[in-house]
Amino acid sequence: MTEWRPRRVLALAALGALAGCVDAGERTPEPSAKPSDAATPAATGGVAGAERVGMLPAQELPAGECGLFLWPKQVNARLLLFSLSGEATARLMLDGRERTLPRTAAEGPSYYGQFLRQTFAADGFEVAVRLVAEPGQGVVNGALVRRASVRVVAEDGWRYVLPAAGLIACEPPD
């Protein structure tokens, strides 16, 4: 069983604060049946092809690593994107499969190994992540991400953009 550390509690508190960042105008209606698997579409909202982007299962941050966690800005959102700083990769659920895409471009300042503008690509997908990070906003050894966007482009020409929020967090070494 995993031992709770003070930083994990702070990360959970930051997630609770993020939940309050969702504006009432951005809420989507709750589905009538609660999704049960990790491949649940991120948002449907009548957008054709939205089901191609799903939600990740919970991700664990290894000791001594930093990572970016992003959730779509909607009610009852599950994890959309996870990026490990040390590996320079991003994980997403695309077309029903968990995919790990390597970083192909990075621009702007870096916070704990995460850049404000990053691009990841592989398996016929390109994912561009743009974020606004606020270091020290209630996150010890990390940064709050109040606003972000995740743009997914498939090689078949399909495009999808999701507004997101999250945090950059670091797990102390053992």
Side-chain angles (χ1 to χ4, degrees):
M1 181 172 225
T2 307
E3 176 183 323
W4 282 93
R5 295 183 177 142
R7 291 198 176 134
R8 287 188 182 164
V9 173
L10 287 174
L12 289 174
L15 292 176
L18 281 173
C21 293
V22 177
D23 184 31
E26 297 178 87
R27 294 179 190 252
T28 56
E30 284 191 47
S32 57
K34 186 173 181 173
S36 60
D37 65 2
T40 303
T44 52
V47 178
E51 68 281 353
R52 295 183 72 178
V53 179
M55 297 290 100
L56 288 169
Q59 302 289 307
E60 187 164 328
L61 192 55
E65 283 283 342
C66 296
L68 170 66
F69 298 81
L70 291 178
W71 292 267
K73 279 192 161 185
Q74 64 186 49
V75 175
N76 298 326
R78 293 173 68 187
L79 187 62
L80 168 66
L81 180 141
F82 174 67
S83 174
L84 267 176
S85 299
E87 293 181 4
T89 60
R91 291 184 202 155
L92 295 100
M93 290 293 290
L94 298 168
D95 285 345
R97 284 189 31 222
E98 183 172 323
R99 298 174 193 265
T100 301
L101 310 178
R103 184 186 300 146
T104 57
E107 299 176 35
S110 170
Y111 296 97
Y112 304 96
Q114 296 294 330
F115 294 85
L116 297 184
R117 290 176 301 283
Q118 306 181 73
T119 304
F120 304 89
D123 297 335
F125 291 96
E126 180 180 272
V127 177
V129 176
R130 306 294 182 257
L131 52 96
V132 176
E134 300 173 10
Q137 294 294 311
V139 182
V140 177
N141 289 328
L144 186 61
V145 178
R146 289 189 194 273
R147 290 177 304 176
S149 67
V150 177
R151 179 179 55 105
V152 181
V153 178
E155 66 186 359
D156 63 7
W158 174 80
R159 297 172 182 263
Y160 191 59
V161 178
L162 291 121
L167 65 101
I168 299 168
C170 298
E171 183 69 29
D174 284 336

